[in-house]
């Protein structure tokens, strides 16, 4: 059995992120830890196993990343994932943010974007 080297989660649920980090032996005060790494010029994102992403701050970057992977044919979506395909077809973006009132299945889309974050091409 293999264990993942990175778990990417929605950072809006700080209690959940903290609980998950503690469960696997990481520091619960991850925001402080992140600041400490930054102060030393180190990349916290590369060293942590549980990586919280924030749709409020990183939405445009996540959208761009997802679009680049799809446009460069680095991601293929099986036709049985009809809700994800519907999300991608209905996703209405304004200033780098998905308009959830105009998009269908946005939770599935959010999950898709989080899952693709691991595959950085730069």
């Amino acid at each position: 059995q293999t264990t993942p080297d990175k778990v990417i989660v929605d950072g809006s649920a700080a209690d959940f992120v903290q609980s998950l980090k503690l469960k696997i032996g990481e520091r619960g005060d991850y925001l402080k830890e992140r600041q400490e790494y930054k102060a030393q010029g180190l990349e916290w994102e590369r060293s942590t196993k549980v990586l919280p992403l924030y749709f409020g701050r990183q939405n445009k970057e996540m959208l761009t990343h997802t679009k680049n992977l799809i446009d460069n044919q680095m991601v293929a979506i099986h036709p049985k994932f009809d809700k994800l395909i519907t999300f991608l077809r209905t996703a209405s973006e304004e200033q780098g943010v998905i308009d959830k009132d105009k998009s269908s299945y946005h939770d599935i889309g959010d999950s898709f974007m989080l899952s693709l974050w691991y595959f950085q091409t730069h």
Side-chain angles (χ1 to χ4, degrees), residues 34-88:
R34 181 182 241 164
Q35 290 175 336
E36 291 169 1
Y37 270 68
K38 187 175 181 178
Q40 296 176 32
L42 301 173
E43 290 187 58
W44 177 80
E45 289 79 4
R46 290 186 183 264
S47 68
T48 188
K49 278 193 170 228
V50 177
L51 176 63
L53 296 181
Y54 301 90
F55 284 95
R57 290 188 300 229
Q58 296 173 284
N59 199 303
K60 186 173 185 174
E61 195 175 354
M62 286 191 281
L63 280 170
T64 300
H65 178 68
T66 300
K67 184 177 180 335
N68 286 339
L69 289 176
I70 292 170
D71 289 350
N72 291 309
Q73 298 179 344
M74 298 178 83
V75 172
I77 302 167
H78 192 281
K80 79 175 189 175
F81 295 107
D82 56 328
K83 291 178 181 175
L84 175 58
I85 293 167
T86 299
F87 164 77
L88 293 169

